[in-house]
Amino acid sequence: MTLKIRIDDGAPPYEQVRAQISEQARSGALPVGHRLPTVRGLAETLGLAANTVAKAYRALEADGVIETRGRNGTVIAAAGSAAEREAAAAAQAFAERARRLGLGEDDALAAVREALRAAYG
């Protein structure tokens, strides 16, 4: 696992850690079951506070990218299906909300496209 934190980057360090681990898990560079360093170990390696790495790990766990197995450590989860399920649930909730607000399908899709452009740059 290779992570690089750029202080001059506009993103906070915890977000950089989260994004890089997430991308490496998604690409297969970090395979399912790969054991991640401890929070303290990674923090020391990257020169970050342990709370910064812990915040990134919490976000990754909430996203279904990693799972913590107590004393057995933190590993890359089978995130594909969990991430897809969560995205489908969020899309369903959005569609229902848009319909209740009286938006037509074209307007709802335009809102989604704009949100995706903002999120992905």
Side-chain angles (χ1 to χ4, degrees), residues 2-120:
T2 304
L3 302 178
K4 294 181 181 168
I5 304 304
R6 293 183 175 84
I7 301 303
D8 58 346
D9 189 328
Y14 86 90
E15 176 58 24
Q16 293 180 50
V17 171
R18 187 209 60 77
Q20 290 177 46
I21 291 175
S22 182
E23 177 55 35
Q24 289 179 33
R26 195 172 8 264
S27 73
L30 294 176
V32 172
H34 177 83
R35 190 168 180 190
L36 296 175
T38 64
V39 167
R40 278 195 187 144
L42 185 56
E44 287 176 13
T45 300
L46 297 175
L48 297 173
N51 284 339
T52 300
V53 174
K55 185 174 182 179
Y57 275 23
R58 282 192 302 273
L60 287 162
E61 192 158 22
D63 290 345
V65 175
I66 65 171
E67 58 184 43
T68 301
R69 298 179 177 166
R71 293 179 183 242
N72 293 324
T74 301
V75 298
I76 300 297
S81 59
E84 289 168 7
R85 282 193 306 273
E86 189 171 335
Q92 181 65 39
F94 171 78
E96 291 171 3
R97 173 81 181 200
R99 191 187 76 238
R100 281 195 309 272
L101 292 171
L103 292 178
E105 188 176 330
D106 289 340
D107 290 334
L109 282 171
V112 169
R113 284 188 190 100
E114 184 57 36
L116 289 170
R117 267 194 288 277
Y120 288 94

